């Protein structure tokens, strides 16, 4: 019987300071226990987990994928995954450029650095803070298409994926449908992620508390950074396959990556 396999490619560890609520060891060991053959760690503008993550993953018998969630100069986010040591080196350069161009509180990768240091990297379009999803949510489809074409030309169609996250937030279905349509039009692949910030669903209150600390918000206050639900956990392959039953190619793409 053919079964789909899935790999988490958008995961935050405690090195996403006050935004990752579960330890590296727990994330790695849970991925291994669920039978997932690899795991990517994509902390915000940081590769601080790299050495520890590499050792933990090899000890658990899974492949470590070194990545990061980059903040671009325009404030939007982009997931970058290194394919090999050269790609890892370019990712280091991109993160350095972000802090050189901005500061430690507000880094931003300049476009010229992105163009110069994109070799051996795979880019995912990101969560709602990604430029393409943000434009689609605003109804600016042609602008979103232009950005997608830019990345398609930059790294080639095999190294740029439109990222789908089924997080049950308002307009999620509409956004994913628009991303799938755009991918079809431009002959781009789609990939499923869960934008993981904690291990189990019941860990959500801990992440929410960390978010309150990070945003200087009390637990009784409303803040746009506070998540509306507890869906950003390390879901099992079965859960992810079920969520994307309408788009199985988004699941198989994780294994291809």
């Amino acid at each position: 019987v053919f079964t789909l396999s899935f790999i988490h490619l958008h995961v935050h560890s405690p090195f996403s300071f006050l935004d990752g609520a579960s330890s590296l060891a727990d994330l790695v060991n849970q991925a291994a226990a669920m039978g997932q053959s690899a795991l990517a760690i994509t902390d915000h503008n940081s590769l601080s987990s790299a050495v520890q993550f590499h050792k933990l993953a090899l000890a658990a018998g899974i492949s470590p994928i070194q990545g990061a969630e980059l903040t671009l100069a325009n404030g939007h986010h982009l997931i970058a995954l290194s394919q090999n040591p050269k790609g890892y080196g370019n990712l280091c350069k991109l993160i350095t450029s972000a802090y050189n161009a901005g500061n430690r509180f507000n880094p931003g990768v300049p476009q010229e650095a992105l163009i110069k240091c994109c070799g051996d990297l795979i880019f995912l379009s990101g969560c709602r803070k990604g430029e393409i999803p943000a434009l689609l949510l605003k109804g600016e489809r042609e602008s979103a298409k232009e950005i997608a074409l830019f990345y398609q030309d930059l790294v080639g169609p095999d190294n740029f994926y439109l990222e789908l996250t089924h997080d049950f937030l308002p307009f999620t279905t509409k956004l994913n449908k628009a991303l799938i349509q755009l991918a079809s039009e431009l002959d781009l692949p789609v990939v499923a992620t869960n934008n993981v910030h904690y291990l189990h669903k019941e860990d959500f209150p801990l992440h929410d508390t960390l978010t309150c600390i990070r945003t200087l918000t009390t637990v009784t206050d409303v803040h746009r950074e506070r998540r509306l639900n507890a869906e950003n956990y390390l879901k099992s392959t079965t859960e992810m396959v079920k969520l994307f039953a309408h788009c199985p190619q988004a699941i198989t793409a994780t294994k291809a990556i």
Side-chain angles (χ1 to χ4, degrees), residues 164-229:
L164 310 177
T165 303
H166 203 313
D167 50 14
F168 298 97
L169 293 179
F171 306 110
T172 291
T173 302
K174 181 181 178 182
L175 173 59
N176 284 342
K177 184 178 180 181
L179 285 164
I180 291 168
Q181 287 176 341
L182 186 62
S184 177
E185 182 181 335
L186 301 181
D187 198 24
L188 280 170
V190 291
V191 65
T193 77
N194 202 50
N195 191 9
V196 175
H197 287 265
Y198 41 91
L199 192 63
H200 300 297
K201 196 163 191 169
E202 53 267 29
D203 296 326
F204 171 67
L206 173 58
H207 180 261
D208 188 42
T209 302
L210 292 175
T211 304
C212 288
I213 295 169
R214 176 164 51 86
T215 57
L216 303 178
T217 307
T218 68
V219 292
T220 56
D221 287 339
V222 174
H223 194 282
R224 60 181 298 179
E225 290 288 319
R226 294 182 72 183
R227 305 270 167 172
L228 297 178
N229 60 35

Side-chain angles (χ1 to χ4, degrees), residues 6-11 79 81 124-127 161-167 176 190-196 231-233 235 240 243-244 250-251 254 257:
F6 175 79
I7 291 164
H8 281 284
L9 298 173
H10 186 161
V11 180
I79 298 293
L81 305 173
L124 314 184
S125 58
C127 59
Y161 290 75
L162 294 181
E163 181 177 346
L164 310 177
T165 303
H166 203 313
D167 50 14
N176 284 342
V190 291
V191 65
T193 77
N194 202 50
N195 191 9
V196 175
E231 292 298 324
N232 297 103
Y233 63 96
K235 291 182 178 176
M240 292 301 293
L243 277 178
F244 289 93
I251 297 293
T254 68
I257 290 172

Side-chain angles (χ1 to χ4, degrees), residues 14-220:
F15 289 97
S16 287
F17 190 55
L18 296 177
D19 201 26
S22 296
S23 74
L24 269 171
D26 286 346
L27 291 166
V28 168
N29 291 334
Q30 180 71 3
M34 292 191 297
Q36 296 174 2
S37 60
L39 180 71
I41 295 295
T42 54
D43 287 317
H44 293 293
N45 306 299
S46 174
L47 285 162
S48 298
S49 71
V51 174
Q52 186 183 353
F53 171 49
H54 186 84
K55 290 178 178 177
L56 286 166
L58 294 187
I62 66 174
S63 299
I65 301 172
Q66 302 287 357
E69 183 165 9
L70 301 172
T71 303
L72 304 178
N74 61 13
H76 288 292
H77 293 184
L78 180 73
I79 298 293
L81 305 173
S82 54
Q83 299 187 50
N84 50 40
K86 184 179 176 184
Y88 178 81
N90 279 329
L91 188 51
C92 291
K93 291 174 185 176
L94 288 175
I95 291 172
T96 299
S97 76
Y99 288 102
N100 281 339
N103 56 59
R104 73 192 189 99
F105 301 108
N106 190 28
V109 179
Q111 190 173 71
E112 57 268 26
L114 199 65
I115 293 169
K116 185 179 178 182
C117 303
C118 64
D120 297 89
L121 290 171
I122 290 172
F123 290 143
L124 314 184
S125 58
C127 59
R128 291 181 179 222
K129 291 183 179 179
E131 191 164 12
I132 293 169
L135 287 167
L136 289 174
L137 282 168
K138 289 192 290 185
E140 298 178 22
R141 192 177 186 280
E142 286 305 308
S143 296
K145 183 178 175 180
E146 286 178 22
I147 300 300
L149 286 170
F150 166 77
Y151 285 110
Q152 185 179 37
D153 292 339
L154 184 65
V155 294
D158 294 335
N159 294 321
F160 178 61
Y161 290 75
L162 294 181
E163 181 177 346
L164 310 177
T165 303
H166 203 313
D167 50 14
F168 298 97
L169 293 179
F171 306 110
T172 291
T173 302
K174 181 181 178 182
L175 173 59
N176 284 342
K177 184 178 180 181
L179 285 164
I180 291 168
Q181 287 176 341
L182 186 62
S184 177
E185 182 181 335
L186 301 181
D187 198 24
L188 280 170
V190 291
V191 65
T193 77
N194 202 50
N195 191 9
V196 175
H197 287 265
Y198 41 91
L199 192 63
H200 300 297
K201 196 163 191 169
E202 53 267 29
D203 296 326
F204 171 67
L206 173 58
H207 180 261
D208 188 42
T209 302
L210 292 175
T211 304
C212 288
I213 295 169
R214 176 164 51 86
T215 57
L216 303 178
T217 307
T218 68
V219 292
T220 56

